[in-house]
Amino acid sequence: MRLRTVPTLLLSAALTAGALAATAAPASAADRSFEDRLRAIPGVSVTGVTDKEGFPLYSLAITQPVDHNDPAAGTFQQRFTLWHKSADRPVVFYTGGYGLSSSTREPTALLDANQLSMEHRFFGPSVPAGATPWNKMTVQQEAADEHAVVQAVRPLYEKTSKWLATGGSKGGMTATYHYRFYPRDYDGVVAYVAPNDANNDDDSTYERFFTSVGTQQCRDALAAVQREMLVRRDTLLPKFEQTAKDEGYTFTETLGTTDRAYEFAVLDQVWNFWQSGTAADCPTVPDAKTVSDDALYAWSLDHGLSVYEDSTLGANGSGPYYRQAAAQLGWADLKFKNLKGVRHYPDIYQPNSVLPEGMRTTYDGTAIKGVDKWVRNDSRRMLFVYGQNDPWSAEQFTPSAHDSYKYVVPGSNHGARIAALPADQRDAATATIRRWAGK
């Protein structure tokens, strides 16, 4: 998996702990009975409740082992929420893969379902006291965290209620990993734009993507702008340094210098253009040879030049993601042939570059290779949704032949959704999800 600014659609927390603690509307007798049972679950605490569209949204915490293989090694509190509608409706478990977000997910809306939403271990306040044991932030440990929540909450729902998992990007990966290690927890998984870097040494699929996405004219224009950003380093770097000064950015704990941070941002520029933009943005790409320094820098800031800096890269920001990428998830180490001769740091494009020294690690892809093999051969009831023009969708999971499917949304980016599929595919995907949910 390549490095990037974590998509805001996945990081945004729709409800903060404070908002969740707001006083809800008067509860019905059924709601009070459900809440009483919720509060009685061992190891689970109700920290707040509010109203969401006429139904209670509970803010919760569960006591988790730091190491599920050694429960005596300590515990931490992990946040999750439960939007409860009815005990006889399906339950959608949303794994965002980052901090806590309780925004309504597409399968939840399709099914009018209950929704669990969970914060990934060691993101936000879901961390143990003292120094964080980053070696315990693995896909296996997080799967065990989520399994514990399923085991705790499932008895509150009727035995006939179906459970589906969903998530987007890293959240889609997280849902897939959970399903691999605990396949009995779910009746199906709907994973959106979930990268699958099963072979971290082979980035040819990503390279092919950037030679085919959009039109040749747009690709050439973007490549020229990216190169020009480094050709004009002497005049544009001071502008980048002024941006850093104005925003209070520093780089000493992660990338080290403004020059390294500038090059890293430029390397990410084209990826970010396609991740968040569309082909409709191509006419805005300036002529690299004639555009002024000011106009080139201003356009770049608005179209993919993301600044990687200390305060957002450490343990309290996106650092935990990059730690996972460096340790297990992998990354795209692109060749950047268009930048030959203008790069200063040829080995910078990898996750350890943006991590504080104490979070850096070595890569082991054993677990990810195993998940890939299981998804291809043995998994059941999995539905993957990808975006045609999304770089993250270049390396995809391949679903098995066991009631499993993959859809690619034409022209879509990292926000690909079932609703944007052609009508026949949209209807087929929706019917599959409803069937899995028993509706």
Side-chain angles (χ1 to χ4, degrees):
M1 180 181 295
R2 85 175 245 295
L3 303 173
R4 42 88 184 205
T5 299
V6 180
T8 55
L9 70 93
L10 300 177
L11 273 181
S12 60
L15 292 164
T16 65
L20 289 172
T23 303
S28 66
D31 288 342
R32 288 195 298 272
S33 174
F34 181 87
E35 184 173 328
D36 288 343
R37 295 174 63 203
L38 187 60
R39 291 181 180 276
I41 299 174
V44 172
S45 57
V46 179
T47 60
V49 60
T50 189
D51 177 90
K52 181 176 178 178
E53 299 177 17
F55 298 98
L57 176 63
Y58 297 99
S59 179
L60 304 151
I62 183 171
T63 302
Q64 297 277 24
V66 170
D67 182 355
H68 286 272
N69 299 315
D70 182 12
T75 63
F76 71 102
Q77 295 296 300
Q78 191 168 25
R79 297 193 303 172
F80 68 106
T81 63
L82 174 60
W83 187 26
H84 174 70
K85 296 179 180 178
S86 174
D88 61 358
R89 297 192 193 185
V91 178
V92 172
F93 195 144
Y94 166 54
T95 58
Y98 299 98
L100 181 64
S101 171
S102 300
S103 58
T104 304
R105 313 315 297 178
E106 188 174 47
T108 305
L110 288 174
L111 300 171
D112 195 18
N114 306 289
Q115 181 177 300
L116 274 166
S117 304
M118 189 166 173
E119 184 164 71
H120 197 290
R121 67 163 38 207
F122 304 173
F123 280 83
S126 294
V127 294
T132 301
W134 295 112
N135 64 328
K136 302 304 179 185
M137 192 175 67
T138 66
V139 297
Q140 298 95 326
Q141 293 284 351
E142 174 62 19
D145 290 341
E146 293 162 11
H147 175 64
V149 170
V150 171
Q151 294 292 96
V153 176
R154 188 185 291 275
L156 301 182
Y157 291 89
E158 295 185 2
K159 292 183 178 180
T160 55
S161 293
K162 301 294 186 180
W163 284 59
L164 303 182
T166 194
S169 191
K170 183 170 174 289
M173 298 160 72
T174 304
T176 301
Y177 302 150
H178 178 169
Y179 198 37
R180 162 63 185 95
F181 295 112
Y182 300 94
R184 295 185 179 181
D185 278 357
Y186 298 133
D187 298 286
V189 170
V190 184
Y192 295 83
V193 294
N196 177 35
D197 200 344
N199 183 356
N200 194 45
D201 293 327
D202 182 5
D203 293 317
S204 59
T205 305
Y206 288 119
E207 298 287 358
R208 287 194 297 273
F209 171 86
F210 285 108
T211 63
S212 62
V213 63
T215 65
Q216 185 69 55
Q217 180 181 12
C218 189
R219 294 194 299 271
D220 289 348
L222 285 168
V225 161
Q226 187 180 41
R227 181 177 179 84
E228 197 68 14
M229 289 290 289
L230 295 182
V231 168
R232 303 192 199 181
R233 187 192 300 255
D234 288 346
T235 57
L236 296 181
L237 181 59
K239 298 181 186 298
F240 182 83
E241 291 172 337
Q242 187 62 51
T243 297
K245 181 179 179 180
D246 292 344
E247 300 297 332
Y249 297 152
T250 62
F251 310 100
T252 54
E253 297 298 320
T254 53
L255 282 156
T257 67
T258 54
D259 192 51
R260 286 172 58 86
Y262 177 75
E263 182 164 314
F264 196 98
V266 173
L267 295 181
D268 238 13
Q269 189 169 349
V270 176
W271 187 301
N272 288 338
F273 177 93
W274 290 112
Q275 173 183 304
S276 303
T278 69
D281 298 308
C282 287
T284 72
V285 182
D287 183 332
K289 295 303 182 184
T290 62
V291 65
S292 69
D293 290 345
D294 286 343
L296 176 60
Y297 185 71
W299 183 88
S300 295
L301 280 180
D302 289 337
H303 295 88
L305 189 75
S306 298
V307 182
Y308 294 77
E309 52 88 28
D310 292 342
S311 68
T312 55
L313 288 172
N316 296 323
S318 55
Y321 159 72
Y322 293 113
R323 164 72 193 207
Q324 286 191 281
Q328 288 186 303
L329 305 184
W331 62 94
D333 189 5
L334 303 178
K335 292 182 174 63
F336 298 106
K337 293 181 180 179
N338 64 308
L339 303 180
K340 185 177 181 180
V342 293
R343 294 178 64 181
H344 289 178
Y345 312 103
D347 299 323
I348 199 175
Y349 203 63
Q350 50 94 18
N352 280 324
S353 294
V354 297
L355 284 171
E357 184 175 0
M359 294 178 67
R360 296 169 192 164
T361 189
T362 55
Y363 176 76
D364 182 350
T366 306
I368 306 306
K369 288 180 185 292
V371 172
D372 172 70
K373 182 179 179 180
W374 178 82
V375 170
R376 289 173 181 267
N377 300 321
D378 302 316
S379 66
R380 298 177 182 275
R381 298 181 303 279
M382 299 198 75
L383 191 151
F384 295 95
V385 181
Y386 289 102
Q388 179 188 14
N389 292 346
D390 171 31
W392 291 106
S393 295
E395 288 196 339
Q396 304 175 359
F397 282 98
T398 299
S400 75
H402 309 304
D403 195 14
S404 296
Y405 313 90
K406 180 168 66 179
Y407 295 93
V408 179
V409 182
S412 188
N413 59 16
H414 205 52
R417 293 292 178 265
I418 290 170
L421 284 166
D424 58 337
Q425 296 181 34
R426 179 196 65 217
D427 293 345
T430 300
T432 296
I433 294 169
R434 291 181 61 82
R435 173 169 57 81
W436 291 345
K439 294 177 73 73

